[in-house]
């Protein structure tokens, strides 16, 4: 391997006037070093990393620039030392220039975005450079302008170079705000929320919905102000409507199910640990739709976990949503999930929902055991329950039975219940 890399570097140096040959050598270096930390380290030690880096700036041939960027990304993607060396203001400024230049090819822009993605991933310094260099602003502009609404609805986006660029931009933006969470970058990225919302309103194609939902979810994650902002522009309404469309068209379709789970994760990020928004969920059909999705029983454990965790966040501290869940047969579904699954995370999520709803179940159970001397109090309680959509008429008969089952499960899974007081974080 070391001999091969030495020869490849020498070939690269002696073929400066042969762009096609240089491209071939660069692609070969990528194939040797990508996902091979030892090879990347050795190539860095013999000066190969900086030579390729300089080639990005010095070459006048677009195909060489593209291939050199591709190789830099491969060297740094799984090698933190290469990532640290490349993480300089100079390289970020060069990438910003490539992305801004009108005569840059789509592929050159795409390779530039790829390098940005590698440099900001799991890297706080890279996240800072991407913002301070202006690259983040350019990425946001590309997010808005690379694809028109009509292009988003094309049937063959997978082979569309502009779509591939746009998809790469979505991935890079997601890395700019997440792991570690970067509130400054989250704030900048929230500027495109109105456009992202419009895209979801006009397109339900998986290759568009999936990256947008991932981007939204990571941008609002653990940020109550941005959660509130997204809701204020109608974002929650759009996600609710999109989820309803997908569930309506499920018919056992695996791809539609997976996309519905993607939308569910975005919904969860918008409401998690934000009680004000969680209460607002009761105005939508989110809880009934999630229960309907769960009732189809066509998801794997990981997908069920995402749906149940979202229900947990909907019902956490929100009595309105607890009643809606009870009305729509949600508690038996939670008990079924808890008793049938061996998946620890899924069991924790189901336990979370049951704990949230335990108080309301107790309230309904007390209603059943009241004697005639408490008629007035019972009347007040029933009036309150009827005010909340008349749920007790459907649910009263099951309340005592479900409460007994919850208490039984508490005894059987005591440790799980205690652990989950901290809530389940995805």
């Amino acid at each position: 391997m070391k001999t091969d890399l030495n020869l490849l570097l020498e070939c690269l140096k002696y073929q400066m006037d042969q762009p096609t040959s240089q491209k071939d050598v660069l692609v070969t270096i990528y194939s040797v070093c990508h996902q091979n930390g030892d090879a990347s380290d050795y190539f860095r030690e013999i000066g190969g990393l900086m030579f390729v880096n300089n080639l990005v700036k010095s070459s006048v041939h677009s195909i060489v620039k593209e291939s050199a960027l591709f190789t830099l990304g491969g060297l740094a993607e799984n090698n933190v030392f290469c990532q640290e060396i490349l993480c300089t203001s100079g390289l970020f400024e060069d990438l910003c220039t490539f992305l801004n230049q009108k005569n840059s090819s789509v592929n050159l822009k795409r390779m530039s975005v790829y390098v940005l993605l590698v440099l900001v991933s799991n890297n706080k310094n890279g996240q800072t450079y991407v913002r301070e260099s202006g690259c983040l602003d350019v990425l946001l502009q590309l997010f808005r302008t690379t694809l028109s609404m009509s292009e988003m609805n094309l049937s063959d986006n997978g082979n569309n170079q502009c779509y591939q660029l746009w998809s790469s931009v979505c991935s890079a933006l997601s890395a700019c705000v997440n792991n570690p969470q970067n509130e400054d970058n989250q704030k900048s990225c929230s500027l495109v929320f109105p456009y992202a919302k419009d895209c979801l309103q006009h397109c339900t194609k998986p290759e568009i919905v999936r990256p947008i939902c991932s981007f939204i979810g990571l941008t609002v994650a653990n940020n109550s102000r941005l959660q509130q902002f997204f809701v204020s522009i109608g974002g929650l309404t759009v996600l609710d409507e999109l989820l309803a469309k997908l569930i309506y068209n499920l018919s056992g379709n695996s791809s539609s199910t997976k996309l519905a789970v993607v939308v569910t994760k975005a919904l969860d990020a918008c409401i998690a640990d934000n009680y004000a928004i969680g209460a607002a969920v009761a105005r939508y059909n989110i809880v009934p739709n999630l229960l309907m999705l769960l009732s189809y029983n066509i998801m794997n454990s990981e997908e069920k976990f995402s749906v149940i965790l979202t229900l947990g966040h909907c019902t956490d501290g929100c009595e309105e949503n607890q009643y809606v869940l009870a009305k729509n047969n949600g508690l038996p579904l939670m008990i079924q999930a808890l008793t049938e699954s061996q998946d620890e995370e899924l069991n924790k999520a189901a336990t979370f929902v049951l704990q949230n709803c335990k108080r309301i179940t107790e309230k309904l159970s007390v209603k059943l055991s009241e004697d005639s001397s408490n008629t007035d109090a019972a009347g007040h309680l029933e009036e309150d329950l009827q005010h909340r959509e008349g749920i007790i008429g459907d649910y009263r008969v099951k309340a005592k039975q479900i409460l007994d089952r919850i208490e039984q499960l508490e005894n059987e899974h005591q440790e799980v219940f205690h652990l989950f007081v901290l809530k389940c974080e995805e």
Side-chain angles (χ1 to χ4, degrees):
M1 177 265 290
K2 292 183 178 181
T3 302
D4 291 342
L5 288 174
N6 280 313
L7 289 173
L8 287 168
L9 181 57
E10 289 304 310
C11 288
L12 201 57
K13 291 177 178 179
Y14 287 103
Q15 293 178 339
M16 298 298 287
D17 57 345
Q18 300 178 48
T20 302
S21 297
Q22 276 195 314
K23 173 190 172 183
D24 293 339
V25 173
L26 287 164
V27 171
T28 303
I29 293 170
Y30 173 92
S31 66
V32 173
C33 295
H34 186 233
Q35 297 185 336
N36 186 330
D38 291 340
S40 295
D41 279 334
Y42 182 74
F43 193 68
R44 170 178 56 82
E45 291 168 1
I46 62 175
L49 179 69
M50 294 314 299
F51 184 84
V52 175
N53 185 36
N54 292 332
L55 203 57
V56 170
K57 182 188 289 287
S58 63
S59 179
V60 296
H61 304 288
S62 181
I63 61 170
V64 175
K65 288 182 182 292
E66 295 165 15
S67 302
L69 288 169
F70 180 61
T71 303
L72 287 182
L75 289 164
E77 190 169 352
N78 293 290
N79 189 295
V80 67
F81 299 111
C82 292
Q83 185 191 52
E84 288 176 357
I85 291 172
L86 293 176
C87 204
T88 64
S89 58
L91 180 55
F92 277 91
E93 288 165 5
D94 289 340
L95 296 172
C96 189
T97 299
F98 297 151
L99 292 172
N100 267 321
Q101 286 178 337
K102 291 184 178 180
N103 62 346
S104 291
S105 68
V106 173
N107 204 43
L108 178 59
K109 290 182 178 182
R110 190 171 156 223
M111 291 303 105
S112 299
V113 173
Y114 168 51
V115 174
L116 285 175
L117 169 62
V118 169
L119 295 183
V120 301
S121 294
N122 309 310
N123 186 358
K124 184 177 181 180
N125 289 333
Q127 291 176 336
T128 301
Y129 277 123
V130 77
R131 183 179 67 255
E132 294 180 347
S133 66
C135 286
L136 183 56
D137 292 334
V138 179
L139 288 173
L140 292 170
Q141 181 66 15
L142 289 171
F143 177 76
R144 287 186 295 249
T145 61
T146 302
L147 287 180
S148 65
M149 290 293 179
S150 60
E151 287 175 314
M152 286 187 177
N153 285 293
L154 291 175
S155 59
D156 192 26
N157 271 326
N159 295 319
N160 183 323
Q161 272 202 329
C162 289
Y163 168 76
Q164 291 171 355
L165 171 60
W166 179 83
S167 178
S168 298
V169 167
C170 291
S171 298
L173 288 173
S174 295
C176 288
V177 299
N178 176 61
N179 199 17
Q181 179 183 356
N182 190 302
E183 292 190 5
D184 289 330
N185 289 355
Q186 283 181 316
K187 183 178 179 181
S188 296
C189 287
S190 69
L191 296 174
V192 298
F193 277 175
Y195 176 77
K197 182 201 72 169
D198 289 345
C199 291
L200 294 179
Q201 278 183 305
H202 293 95
C203 183
T204 58
K205 293 179 70 63
E207 57 265 38
I208 300 297
V209 172
R210 188 173 288 107
I212 290 180
C213 282
S214 178
F215 165 65
I216 290 171
L218 292 172
T219 304
V220 301
N222 304 311
N223 193 318
S224 59
R225 289 185 178 181
L226 294 189
Q227 287 174 325
Q228 192 63 51
F229 172 62
F230 185 71
V231 172
S232 72
I233 64 170
L236 203 58
T237 301
V238 170
L239 290 176
D240 176 40
E241 292 171 350
L242 179 57
L243 181 62
K245 287 179 187 176
L246 292 169
I247 291 174
Y248 180 78
N249 293 315
L250 274 183
S251 301
N253 188 314
S254 175
S255 61
S256 294
T257 302
K258 293 185 182 303
L259 194 59
V261 173
V262 168
V263 175
T264 298
K265 289 180 178 180
L267 277 167
D268 188 45
C270 291
I271 65 175
D273 302 317
N274 192 319
Y275 294 119
I277 295 177
V281 168
R283 299 198 299 267
Y284 302 92
N285 292 316
I286 292 173
V287 172
N289 284 334
L290 291 175
L291 290 171
M292 186 180 298
L293 178 61
L294 196 61
S295 69
Y296 285 134
N297 202 28
I298 54 177
M299 296 180 290
N300 60 36
S301 294
E302 184 178 349
E303 292 165 342
K304 287 181 181 178
F305 165 75
S306 297
V307 174
I308 294 175
L309 181 61
T310 305
L311 286 168
H313 288 137
C314 288
T315 54
D316 188 16
C318 180
E319 202 170 81
E320 290 278 353
N321 289 327
Q322 293 166 16
Y323 274 99
V324 173
L325 184 136
K327 176 184 177 182
N328 288 273
N329 204 40
L331 292 177
L333 280 174
M334 295 304 107
I335 292 172
Q336 180 183 353
L338 187 60
T339 55
E340 291 183 356
S341 173
Q342 301 300 313
D343 185 277
E344 182 179 356
E345 293 304 309
L346 192 154
N347 288 344
K348 286 182 179 181
T351 298
F352 183 25
V353 178
L354 290 172
Q355 276 289 77
N356 291 342
C357 298
K358 184 182 177 184
R359 183 181 175 188
I360 205 169
T361 308
E362 289 173 338
K363 184 187 289 189
L364 294 173
S365 180
V366 167
K367 172 70 179 73
L368 289 176
S369 61
E370 286 178 336
D371 56 34
S372 58
S373 65
N374 293 323
T375 302
D376 289 340
H380 287 304
L381 178 57
E382 185 155 4
E383 180 181 348
D384 176 62
L385 295 176
Q386 288 174 345
H387 178 67
R388 299 172 185 274
E389 300 186 7
I391 294 165
I392 196 168
D394 300 325
Y395 182 61
R396 185 185 298 160
V397 178
K398 301 177 183 176
K400 183 68 167 63
Q401 176 186 353
I402 291 177
L403 179 60
D404 291 343
R405 184 63 174 133
I406 292 173
E407 289 175 346
Q408 178 187 346
L409 288 166
E410 275 190 307
N411 293 331
E412 294 174 356
H413 304 275
Q414 195 70 30
E415 292 185 7
V416 174
F417 272 79
H418 282 268
L419 286 172
F420 214 77
V421 170
L422 300 175
K423 299 180 186 177
C424 183
E425 293 294 335
E426 187 173 8

